[in-house]
Amino acid sequence: MTDHNHTRAAAPPLRPFLKWAGNKFRLVERIAQRLPAGRRLIEPFAGSGALFLNTNYDDYLLSDANRDLFELYTRLRDEGKGFIEEARRYFSAEYNNEESFYALREEFNATSYSERRAILFLYLNRHGYNGLCRYNAKGKFNVPFGRYKRPYFPLQEMRTFHQKAQRAEFKCASFEQTMSEAREGDVIYCDPPYVPLSTSANFTSYSAGGFSMAQQQQLAELARDNARRGIPVLISNHSTELTRRLYTEAGGQCGATFAVKRHISCNGLQRDDASELLALFSPETSDTLASVEMTQSNT
């Protein structure tokens, strides 16, 4: 295993080129400080790629269940300047109006996975309301027009991503599939859809964005299993009684908690402090837990 400083030396942090819910841009330094050293960083919930951009591992494996995200990242990595210049055409007054937006959204929904669809996905991300990424029950993108005066074209951010992505493998896969591919020398960072802040939420029935509480529990168990085979796992989530219990019972160390500004209601203008939790599942801790369990089973 390469034992080097994996945090990126340059400051300020590099911004992702996409708008993305749960973007970790403002937290990358805190998260990077908790990440163990290793050769490759694996992110089963790639999202905006903020941590990927602001760490310095030899290699990366970024996956996400959203195929549009995977296609966009792959096209940008492989095609670089040509892809960027083609995407840039749509960031002008000609396309910043309702008629153009809904026409391009309709084209996006009728287009199969291709360079064209990837370019339209970037356009919709930057011109749609609040940078949301949302699909209806039929799998159609349905975010409304954002009404921005002059949507920002992330030229430098895309160039930076393209350069860094030469060290990355992108996959459209579930978190279970991705975590099963981890090998010695890898480090895993998980940023799943967060549990609700409400203490009244039902553990078994809650689901946000298709991520159920059963999956939250499965993620904690997979983190424990990976740690037992020598692969450290760091997980972000809301700091609640539920998550602290979930992670500690699976053998995680809930050591870092801090307040962050986050939308916590359907009113987008309402922001409040929410407590963020970082739980580390380390091989050392898992060895201790395994020996305790073995002792208990033998008594």
Side-chain angles (χ1 to χ4, degrees), residues 38-57:
R39 183 190 62 79
R40 179 175 69 162
L41 178 65
I42 297 177
E43 293 193 59
F45 305 89
S48 71
L51 194 66
F52 156 67
L53 289 167
N54 289 285
T55 51
N56 191 29
Y57 289 88

Side-chain angles (χ1 to χ4, degrees), residues 107-128:
E107 181 187 349
F108 172 83
N109 285 325
T111 302
S112 59
Y113 295 103
S114 61
E115 179 185 35
R116 176 67 177 164
R117 184 175 168 103
I119 286 170
L120 292 174
F121 184 63
L122 173 62
Y123 165 84
L124 293 171
N125 174 263
R126 283 282 171 178
H127 290 74

Side-chain angles (χ1 to χ4, degrees), residues 16-18 84 91 122 126 152-159:
F17 69 90
L18 289 175
I84 293 171
F91 286 71
L122 173 62
R126 283 282 171 178
Y152 172 69
F153 181 67
L155 175 62
Q156 189 54 52
E157 291 87 343
M158 291 179 74
R159 287 173 174 169

